[in-house]
Amino acid sequence: MGKMECVVSSVVAVLVVVVVDTVSMTHAASTHSSTDHSQVVAEADALRNSGWWIWANQPGSTNHCNWVGIYCNEGGHVTKISLQDYQGNLPLTLGELSKLNLSSFPSLNFLILSGTGLNGSILDQIHSLTKLIFHLDLSDNQLTGPIPHQIGTLTELTYLNLSWNELTGAIPSSLGRLTKLTHLSLYYNQLNDSIPHQIGTLTELTYLNLSWNELTGAIPSSLGRLTKLTHLSLYYNQLNDSIPHQIGSLTKLIHLDLSANQLTGPIPHQIGSLTKLIHLDLSDNQLTGPIPHQIGSLTKLIHLDLSNNQLNGSIPYQIGTLTELTFIEFYKRKVQPESMATKKNGDLFSIWDYDGRIAFEDIFLATEDFDIRYCIGVGGYGSVYRAQLPNGKVVAPAYLRSFENEVQMLEEILHRNIAKLHGYCLHNRCMFLIYMYMERGSLYCMLSNEVEAVELDWVKRVNIVKHMANALSYMHHDCTPPIIHRDISSNNILLDSKLEGFVSDFGTARLLDPDSSNQTLVAGTYGYIAPEFAYTMVVTEKCDVYSFGVVALETMIGKHPGELITSLLSSLCQDLMLRDVLDSRLSLPEDLQVAINVVFVVLLALKCIHSNLQSRPTMQQISYKLLGNIPFPKSPFYAISLYELKNQDM
């Protein structure tokens, strides 16, 4: 995110026409029985008939197991279909889901088609995917119609995401049979009727999001059985009745959002049992009675919003002991006639305290319907605009493809060196986020500009590295669960008017689940991705540490280190002197303390890009080292080699 107009990139989509020859299937398939071979041929034909052959990544390839997004076992049977990996490079969208005959893939474990332009309905034939044990992700498409009750036959499934579609009808009670689910997201559809009480049987769930639908009725008390939940979101529905006291059993919750419903009655005092909560939002309901003093037990709470209810009585003094709180609101927000002008312009500087429709109109007026003249950057996840509002404030609205992820992450993390999210707008016309405007753009662009690069002297560059380290240390070690950014690059480090650094763009960020393998799809920017990620597909904090090291080196040498990293991994760095690789547009540091700081930043960067992730320091260690007494280098500045720094202890 940020000022990225200096980055010019293009993706060339190559359409490959494949000559079909069903005789030359995989060698493995040919060695199996005729029945098995027939099944392999049937799977290939199903893919071919669906149009999948268009994405074949080897000219002339007739082996469907080599096609983009298709993964097979040794027998040639398709076990995984995933085009999420290739969203930015598809020459066309998939279209009607019915083109893919799901009953032809009895060995399928993964089906991931998020954001691929699917339309039509989710077919009844989904019941044939009895071996679908990992992912079913059809999110961010244009699917319509109901969720078929046959989905209840996928009893081995652990991850189900149908969010961001146009699905209608009731949530099928048969979902209650999917007792191995750990993740269920039906967010942002048009689902109606009540939440089936059978969801209470999904006792392995850690994440449940049914927000932004048209659900009615009471919150089932059976949700109290979901004792492994860490995230429960039911906001923006039409749920009524009281909050069930059984919610106090969900003691692992870190995020609870029941806002924007029609809930009545008191806030149950059992909510004080949720001692791991970081985010609690019960706003915009019809809750009555006093604020329970037990909320004072939620010592990790950062965000508390009880506003726009009918609560009475005094604020319990125990809430004053919640030292982590950075956002708190209790009262009903009102508008008097003299403040209508302020309300019309919207207070964008409180994420929950403005009228989304009004702000939506203001942003469109300020950018003249997002005219290209106001665009200040285009990145991998959307476009960034500069908008001066009627009240004179300047903000940076951004279209994002990864909207839900960005909002979720930035709601929950608050740090002075993480780009501040002022607000967001979700509308049937478009969606955008509203950020604090960063006057100096991205670190990449400043380093790329011959004039601006000189303004970034050694002191400012060291400070920017410290800002990055502090933000990442907070994400990795002060958030529960830890948050992995996954796309740290110089383009995603933004600079304000004082040239203070801010980490931005959380569209690919991921909550780190310590109880899972943390396998993920490719995310990040080429040149900044940790080498082990390419072959393990496992995301850890050390992936961010590597990326931080690359950016820290880039900050010191003035450009992406590129081949220098390769040299550092070999004996070629023995003759490389530090003075020869530092940014030549700046004079070498003359002040002794500045020189010591520069040397230490490069030393830390070299430790961070170590090929063995176990040998890399943690971001907490890096942050502490940069804030403490930096050790004096062992050699005079002019005599320091990169080889020496590479092998020197921290």
Side-chain angles (χ1 to χ4, degrees):
M1 302 292 298
K3 191 174 181 183
M4 292 173 279
E5 64 270 30
C6 57
V7 184
V8 179
S9 64
S10 60
V11 177
V12 179
V14 180
L15 182 65
V16 179
V17 179
V18 177
V19 179
V20 177
D21 177 10
T22 57
V23 176
S24 57
M25 300 305 296
T26 61
H27 172 72
S30 66
T31 61
H32 285 64
S33 67
S34 59
T35 303
D36 193 50
H37 178 71
S38 298
Q39 177 58 48
V40 171
V41 172
E43 293 177 32
D45 287 342
L47 291 173
R48 194 171 294 111
N49 293 336
S50 70
W52 232 278
W53 56 270
I54 292 176
W55 292 288
N57 58 1
Q58 293 185 9
S61 171
T62 57
N63 180 2
H64 62 287
C65 295
N66 291 332
W67 297 351
V68 168
I70 306 301
Y71 304 82
C72 299
N73 59 22
E74 293 182 355
H77 296 290
V78 176
T79 58
K80 178 179 178 181
I81 297 176
S82 174
L83 286 183
Q84 189 182 41
D85 320 43
Y86 307 93
Q87 285 181 18
N89 303 308
L90 293 180
L92 53 96
T93 55
L94 292 183
E96 189 78 26
L97 178 59
S98 61
K99 290 182 179 178
L100 185 60
N101 184 8
L102 297 179
S103 61
S104 299
F105 306 99
S107 302
L108 201 62
N109 297 147
F110 288 83
L111 181 58
I112 305 175
L113 300 176
S114 175
T116 51
L118 284 174
N119 55 57
S121 61
I122 300 176
L123 305 175
D124 295 346
Q125 60 174 284
I126 202 157
H127 76 277
S128 62
L129 301 178
T130 55
K131 293 190 178 179
L132 204 62
I133 59 175
F134 295 112
H135 275 56
L136 174 55
D137 189 346
L138 304 178
S139 62
D140 195 16
N141 285 298
Q142 292 89 49
L143 296 172
T144 56
I147 301 173
H149 69 87
Q150 290 89 344
I151 204 166
T153 61
L154 308 182
T155 55
E156 299 298 310
L157 196 62
T158 58
Y159 182 103
L160 176 59
N161 188 351
L162 304 178
S163 61
W164 284 94
N165 280 290
E166 300 169 23
L167 300 173
T168 56
I171 298 174
S173 60
S174 60
L175 277 179
R177 302 175 196 161
L178 309 186
T179 55
K180 295 186 179 180
L181 274 185
T182 60
H183 181 111
L184 174 58
S185 180
L186 305 179
Y187 171 85
Y188 204 74
N189 280 287
Q190 299 167 32
L191 300 170
N192 54 37
D193 211 336
S194 59
I195 300 173
H197 69 87
Q198 289 87 349
I199 285 185
T201 64
L202 307 181
T203 55
E204 296 298 313
L205 275 183
T206 59
Y207 181 97
L208 176 60
N209 193 340
L210 307 179
S211 304
W212 279 96
N213 279 290
E214 300 168 13
L215 300 172
T216 59
I219 298 174
S221 61
S222 62
L223 293 191
R225 302 176 196 159
L226 308 181
T227 55
K228 293 185 179 180
L229 272 185
T230 60
H231 186 114
L232 175 59
S233 293
L234 304 176
Y235 61 89
Y236 274 92
N237 279 292
Q238 299 167 33
L239 299 171
N240 52 43
D241 211 335
S242 58
I243 300 173
H245 68 83
Q246 289 86 349
I247 207 161
S249 302
L250 309 181
T251 55
K252 292 188 178 180
L253 276 183
I254 62 172
H255 180 106
L256 176 60
D257 194 339
L258 307 179
S259 63
N261 279 289
Q262 299 168 20
L263 299 173
T264 58
I267 299 173
H269 67 83
Q270 290 87 351
I271 212 161
S273 301
L274 310 182
T275 55
K276 293 187 178 181
L277 270 185
I278 292 174
H279 180 109
L280 174 60
D281 194 342
L282 305 179
S283 64
D284 295 289
N285 281 291
Q286 300 169 30
L287 300 173
T288 56
I291 300 171
H293 69 83
Q294 288 86 352
I295 287 182
S297 302
L298 309 182
T299 56
K300 295 186 178 181
L301 211 55
I302 291 176
H303 182 110
L304 173 62
D305 194 346
L306 306 178
S307 62
N308 272 14
N309 281 290
Q310 300 172 28
L311 301 171
N312 54 43
S314 59
I315 298 173
Y317 74 88
Q318 291 90 342
I319 291 180
T321 65
L322 302 180
T323 57
E324 298 297 317
L325 272 180
T326 57
F327 180 95
I328 183 170
E329 189 154 4
F330 295 111
Y331 299 110
K332 186 171 182 178
R333 299 185 285 268
K334 297 179 180 179
V335 183
Q336 307 311 353
E338 61 268 22
S339 65
M340 285 297 289
T342 302
K343 188 65 175 177
K344 175 173 175 56
N345 294 333
D347 182 7
L348 299 183
F349 288 78
S350 178
I351 189 171
W352 308 115
D353 194 19
Y354 72 95
D355 184 323
R357 292 175 299 172
I358 299 297
F360 172 83
E361 294 166 1
D362 286 343
I363 295 294
F364 265 75
L365 287 173
T367 60
E368 297 184 36
D369 205 5
F370 288 99
D371 190 276
I372 190 65
R373 291 177 297 158
Y374 297 92
C375 184
I376 59 174
V378 178
Y381 298 97
S383 302
V384 184
Y385 297 79
R386 184 183 188 275
Q388 183 163 359
L389 302 178
N391 59 11
K393 294 175 180 175
V394 178
V395 293
Y399 282 117
L400 281 188
R401 300 188 187 102
S402 47
F403 184 89
E404 179 184 359
N405 209 38
E406 189 96 354
V407 170
Q408 178 188 340
M409 294 297 174
L410 291 174
E411 277 179 14
E412 298 173 359
I413 55 178
L414 295 169
H415 189 277
R416 65 167 295 143
N417 294 119
I418 293 176
K420 181 173 176 57
L421 179 69
H422 287 314
Y424 67 87
C425 188
L426 188 59
H427 190 272
N428 58 10
R429 182 175 174 186
C430 75
M431 57 187 177
F432 53 81
L433 305 177
I434 305 166
Y435 287 95
M436 173 173 62
Y437 180 63
M438 296 291 183
E439 293 85 347
R440 305 308 301 269
S442 71
L443 174 62
Y444 173 85
C445 284
M446 280 210 74
L447 291 175
S448 301
N449 185 294
E450 295 298 315
V451 176
E452 294 184 345
V454 176
E455 189 178 350
L456 280 179
D457 59 30
W458 294 120
V459 173
K460 292 185 177 68
R461 296 190 189 202
V462 169
N463 283 336
I464 289 170
V465 173
K466 288 182 179 180
H467 301 154
M468 292 166 49
N470 293 340
L472 289 171
S473 176
Y474 168 80
M475 290 166 57
H476 291 184
H477 301 282
D478 297 324
C479 293
T480 307
I483 296 174
I484 312 302
H485 189 285
R486 297 202 298 165
D487 195 15
I488 293 296
S489 71
S490 56
N491 260 326
N492 290 335
I493 305 301
L494 303 184
L495 307 176
D496 66 3
S497 58
K498 299 177 182 178
L499 294 176
E500 184 169 354
F502 294 80
V503 175
S504 73
D505 200 342
F506 286 77
T508 63
R510 179 186 180 93
L511 293 171
L512 186 65
D513 180 0
D515 297 324
S516 75
S517 66
N518 298 304
Q519 282 202 330
T520 184
L521 301 173
V522 175
T525 301
Y526 180 76
Y528 298 88
I529 302 174
E532 72 274 4
F533 186 67
Y535 54 84
T536 66
M537 300 300 287
V538 175
V539 60
T540 69
E541 297 101 326
K542 294 301 180 73
C543 295
D544 278 355
V545 172
Y546 180 90
S547 302
F548 164 83
V550 176
V551 176
L553 267 184
E554 184 175 356
T555 306
M556 294 295 110
I557 69 178
K559 60 183 180 180
H560 189 281
E563 294 182 359
L564 178 60
I565 294 178
T566 306
S567 300
L568 290 169
L569 298 178
S570 67
S571 58
L572 298 176
C573 68
Q574 293 189 23
D575 299 326
L576 285 174
M577 305 304 293
L578 173 62
R579 66 176 185 268
D580 294 330
V581 299
L582 292 176
D583 194 340
S584 60
R585 294 170 294 187
L586 298 180
S587 301
L588 292 174
E590 298 178 355
D591 181 90
L592 178 60
Q593 188 58 52
V594 173
I596 291 173
N597 290 344
V598 169
V599 171
F600 195 61
V601 166
V602 175
L603 183 151
L604 288 178
L606 296 179
K607 300 298 181 186
C608 291
I609 63 171
H610 199 288
S611 56
N612 182 356
L613 76 162
Q614 302 299 333
S615 299
R616 296 174 203 153
T618 66
M619 289 310 308
Q620 189 174 63
Q621 290 171 329
I622 296 166
S623 180
Y624 285 167
K625 292 285 186 181
L626 288 171
L627 291 174
N629 294 321
I630 295 178
F632 199 85
K634 295 181 178 179
S635 304
F637 183 84
Y638 279 87
I640 296 175
S641 70
L642 294 184
Y643 182 79
E644 175 186 343
L645 292 180
K646 173 186 172 184
N647 294 286
Q648 182 176 324
D649 294 332
M650 288 173 55

